[in-house]
Amino acid sequence: MVTVPDATVLDWFRRGWDRDDPDGWIDSELGGYVYGLDSVFEEVQKRGLPRPETVDELRELLNEHLWIEGDDEDTFIRLGEHALRVRTDDDEVDLAYYFVDDQAAAASPDRIAFLLYDTWPLPTGAAEPGAVFSHGVPVRTVRLAPPGPESVFSVRVCWGSPDTHRNLDLAGAIAFPGLTLPDLAASLRAVDDPGACRWPHDARLLRALVAPAEDDARVALERYVRLPGYDPSPASIDTMPTHHVIHQEMLRLLAPEPSAGSLIQLDPHIAQVSRHIDDFFGFDQWFLFDTRWAAAHPDLARSLLRYAAHWDPFHDIASK
């Protein structure tokens, strides 16, 4: 995440409109290469395109001249008065980049706080028992306990979600209602119902990572960062064998130590890991948190859940 001095998205594009070296200017402004962003500035040089005076004019120029790739390109450039959201891919992974002005950031922290949080880890404080958190975001539910006011939420941001086979088309966070994070491990390992093969993939993966007689799901994430490769799943995960069998299969996959650069932060009501895959892709991340953490950090929690549901945090607000 970087900050530029312009008041609006339109102002930033206007300031860079006729630069002689678009690649160099973008690199100096944004701290590195942004896939395809230089294309519109290169077209300015080739065609003498006029500097946009309004957001509508900029939107028309971006739709015509900004290079993007993907399966649904008509909806991959989204410009409103206060934010630009662009989705593309570089033939290896899906990519998204965002320009958000101060007004949008201040008005919608529950949508973009996670995207704007530029340090690791997320804060770890939690609310007292009885705290209430309402998220209003679509989630997938796995019921392991009777209904109750608490829930645990799982968000894994990875190379290619096994549920969708894309890294931006996430299927939504997983909610385990009726539990806090300290309750989760025992509830997962107690399940030996073959019908659980219909659970979302990450719920099955987490169950496989929990050891027999283990009561701390956070330790499962310590094992997760020892898994190698892009798709770190046991071969039989879709058949939902007994807990003992799937955990033994998982143990055979583990490296002796986490890969260099992996990060782990385990706290009573949030566990978060950043697993280093390789120098090409970098990291994937997994967050487990419960209602008590979410109640203490509602904007971060809602925006993280929202990111797991859709790549565009403003996708249901046309005016943004």
Side-chain angles (χ1 to χ4, degrees):
M1 198 271 286
V2 298
T3 301
V4 294
D6 311 276
T8 67
V9 177
L10 175 63
D11 289 345
W12 185 82
F13 277 91
R14 283 175 52 81
R15 182 163 60 87
W17 199 249
D18 55 1
R19 298 283 172 165
D20 293 333
D21 179 13
D23 283 338
W25 183 72
I26 291 172
D27 186 81
S28 65
E29 284 281 301
L30 304 182
Y33 178 66
V34 178
Y35 187 80
L37 181 57
D38 58 338
S39 60
V40 66
F41 297 104
E42 290 174 352
E43 289 298 301
V44 171
Q45 293 181 324
K46 292 177 183 178
R47 301 169 181 263
L49 300 174
R51 180 182 277 107
E53 299 295 333
T54 67
V55 169
D56 288 341
E57 290 178 4
L58 176 58
R59 184 183 301 109
E60 183 176 346
L61 288 161
L62 292 176
N63 284 331
E64 180 69 22
H65 301 292
L66 181 63
W67 175 256
I68 58 170
E69 299 180 47
D71 298 330
D72 192 15
E73 296 181 3
D74 288 344
T75 63
F76 282 1
I77 300 174
R78 302 180 176 192
L79 175 64
E81 291 292 329
H82 302 288
L84 169 66
R85 297 87 70 202
V86 177
R87 173 173 171 167
T88 184
D89 73 68
D90 65 354
D91 299 325
E92 298 289 346
V93 293
D94 301 317
L95 304 169
Y97 55 89
Y98 309 88
F99 287 79
V100 179
D101 70 17
D102 287 342
Q103 186 170 335
S108 304
D110 61 328
R111 292 176 177 271
I112 59 173
F114 172 65
L115 292 175
L116 297 180
Y117 198 86
D118 63 349
T119 59
W120 197 94
L122 299 180
T124 59
E128 295 297 321
V132 176
F133 171 68
S134 175
H135 55 81
V137 179
V139 297
R140 298 171 292 167
T141 300
V142 173
R143 299 193 181 279
L144 303 175
E150 309 269 16
S151 289
V152 177
F153 300 92
S154 168
V155 176
R156 188 165 74 104
V157 182
C158 57
W159 166 262
S161 168
D163 293 324
T164 63
H165 305 291
R166 303 296 292 264
N167 61 287
L168 281 182
D169 291 324
L170 302 179
I174 302 168
F176 301 93
L179 300 171
T180 63
L181 186 53
D183 303 324
L184 181 60
S187 297
L188 282 169
R189 60 181 170 76
V191 174
D192 279 322
D193 177 7
C197 66
R198 294 186 293 273
W199 285 2
H201 176 273
D202 291 348
R204 288 177 274 134
L205 179 60
L206 187 59
R207 172 180 174 265
L209 286 162
V210 172
E214 190 167 78
D215 290 329
D216 191 347
R218 299 172 303 169
V219 180
L221 293 194
E222 290 185 321
R223 296 188 185 95
Y224 178 70
V225 295
R226 292 167 52 195
L227 287 170
Y230 288 76
D231 183 17
S233 300
S236 63
I237 194 167
D238 292 333
T239 65
M240 207 63 179
T242 65
H243 178 252
H244 174 78
V245 169
I246 193 66
H247 183 67
Q248 290 301 309
E249 186 178 347
M250 176 63 75
L251 292 180
R252 290 192 290 271
L253 299 178
L254 298 182
E257 298 290 338
S259 60
S262 293
L263 303 171
I264 307 171
Q265 179 71 41
L266 305 178
D267 293 279
H269 297 284
I270 181 171
Q272 44 194 319
V273 298
S274 184
R275 183 179 69 100
H276 183 257
I277 299 173
D278 58 28
D279 291 337
F280 174 73
F281 181 74
F283 299 81
D284 66 11
Q285 298 184 79
W286 199 341
F287 302 90
L288 292 175
F289 61 90
D290 62 21
T291 297
R292 296 185 200 177
W293 180 84
H297 310 279
D299 291 333
L300 274 174
R302 292 190 188 103
S303 58
L304 179 54
L305 295 174
R306 191 175 297 278
Y307 183 75
H310 201 281
W311 70 271
D312 176 7
F314 299 112
H315 76 100
D316 54 350
I317 304 179
S319 63
K320 290 296 183 182

